[in-house]
Amino acid sequence: MVIAAPATAYWDYGHRSVATIAWEAVRPETRVQIRSLLRYEALLDTPDCPVRSLEDASVWPDCIKPLGDRFNYASSWHYQNVDICKPFDLKNACKDGNCVSAQIERSARLLADRTVPRRERLQALAFLAHLVGDLSNPMHAGDRGDRGGNDVAANYGLIGGRTNLHSIWDGYLAERAITTPPGGARGLLGGVSAAERTALAGGTVEDWSRQSWAAARDLAYTSLIGDPCGPLPKERPTLTEADVRALIPHVRRQVIVGGLRLARLLDEALVQGKAPGQRERR
């Protein structure tokens, strides 16, 4: 059975790991552009939520949630409830644009546009860094009408109480996977060749949405309850140590692809002046 210390949760440790991978993978000139934007941190007027690095930026959209009315418009940007028990349908899940994939594309467009005020571009950088991390977490990309697994009570080994499927993937499982040797962002990247990095960063935001949606079905729900679309067991299900060990390589992969995809979008927006669906500016 799993015995683990309390996790810092994916929104912090996981997001920072995705951002660190991206920082390692971006072009040097992209780093220059990111540093230039970060110098305008004061424009955000969020002193309790600093944005001094790409890692800070990646957790800023969660840090500002307690600020209430100032940023509550973004509450639905962190996920998309695409039904895992039906054919993949991103159009209906994101019909109003207030979902993670649509906001990734919007943030990339704002970041690429040098006519946009610095404050908005810096916010776009933070949302982009955060939301690409969210999309790499399967529980933010697909569910079965249960708020991304928040309504599926589950035990993480011996850890129970308020634990649910979403919190397991957001926190305990993410922390275990990222810290498994070779741990940390560089440890995760170490076994990925240059050619494989390019392949993992490829595709469209919709492609990434489909991949994470499938992972929600085939990994998250299946590992916990067997039939991902079947009835929930009467007794609270448990993710065992064997389950966790089997999932670790997959979770590590999700963090890696999140970082590499973020790096690609940052390079495109800040160096090439383009965003998903746009041609490079000349």
Side-chain angles (χ1 to χ4, degrees), residues 84-85 144 146 152 217 221-222 224-233:
I84 63 165
C85 299
R144 38 179 280 173
D146 51 29
V152 180
R217 178 192 63 210
Y221 284 95
T222 297
L224 184 69
I225 61 175
D227 181 355
C229 299
L232 292 176

Side-chain angles (χ1 to χ4, degrees), residues 30-277:
T30 301
R31 293 194 193 109
V32 171
Q33 294 296 322
I34 293 171
R35 289 190 182 106
S36 178
L37 271 175
L38 293 175
R39 288 202 297 266
Y40 297 97
E41 173 196 18
L43 294 176
L44 297 177
D45 192 25
T46 56
D48 292 332
C49 300
V51 183
R52 302 188 183 102
S53 65
L54 186 60
E55 288 83 359
D56 283 350
S58 74
V59 299
W60 183 84
D62 273 344
C63 183
I64 59 173
K65 285 179 179 178
L67 299 182
D69 289 346
R70 280 189 65 193
F71 298 104
N72 61 7
Y73 60 84
S75 60
S76 63
W77 292 5
H78 299 254
Y79 60 89
Q80 50 200 24
N81 294 327
V82 184
D83 195 332
I84 63 165
C85 299
K86 296 179 181 178
F88 179 74
D89 182 6
L90 188 59
K91 183 177 180 180
N92 282 328
C94 293
K95 57 181 177 293
D96 59 0
N98 288 315
C99 71
V100 62
S101 59
Q103 291 303 319
I104 286 173
E105 294 179 339
R106 174 180 174 273
S107 296
R109 289 194 300 270
L110 289 171
L111 186 60
D113 189 346
R114 300 299 179 90
T115 68
V116 170
R118 291 189 182 100
R119 179 178 179 274
E120 289 185 44
R121 290 187 72 222
L122 182 53
Q123 282 194 181
L125 172 66
F127 275 115
L128 185 64
H130 181 88
L131 298 177
V132 173
D134 275 342
L135 188 58
S136 71
N137 182 343
M139 300 317 302
H140 287 252
D143 74 350
R144 38 179 280 173
D146 51 29
R147 300 188 307 125
N150 274 294
D151 295 335
V152 180
N155 300 323
Y156 181 77
L158 299 178
I159 300 174
R162 297 182 180 179
T163 312
N164 55 57
L165 182 59
H166 189 100
S167 66
I168 287 172
W169 278 76
D170 254 8
Y172 296 107
L173 183 57
E175 184 180 74
R176 173 77 179 273
I178 296 168
T179 57
T180 294
R186 291 188 178 182
L188 282 135
L189 270 182
V192 185
S193 68
E196 191 176 10
R197 291 186 190 191
T198 301
L200 291 174
T204 65
V205 177
E206 182 169 350
D207 293 333
W208 305 345
S209 297
R210 185 188 298 271
Q211 183 266 326
S212 279
W213 165 83
R217 178 192 63 210
D218 300 336
L219 296 176
Y221 284 95
T222 297
S223 64
L224 184 69
I225 61 175
D227 181 355
C229 299
L232 292 176
K234 293 181 179 179
E235 293 187 8
R236 187 185 182 103
T238 297
L239 202 67
T240 67
E241 173 67 12
D243 297 328
V244 170
R245 289 181 178 178
L247 287 170
I248 282 174
H250 301 286
V251 179
R252 287 171 66 88
R253 192 69 154 199
Q254 290 299 121
V255 176
I256 292 168
V257 298
L260 295 176
R261 289 165 178 174
L262 174 58
R264 185 194 119 191
L265 293 181
L266 291 171
D267 282 341
E268 290 178 348
L270 293 171
V271 176
Q272 301 173 35
K274 69 175 184 178

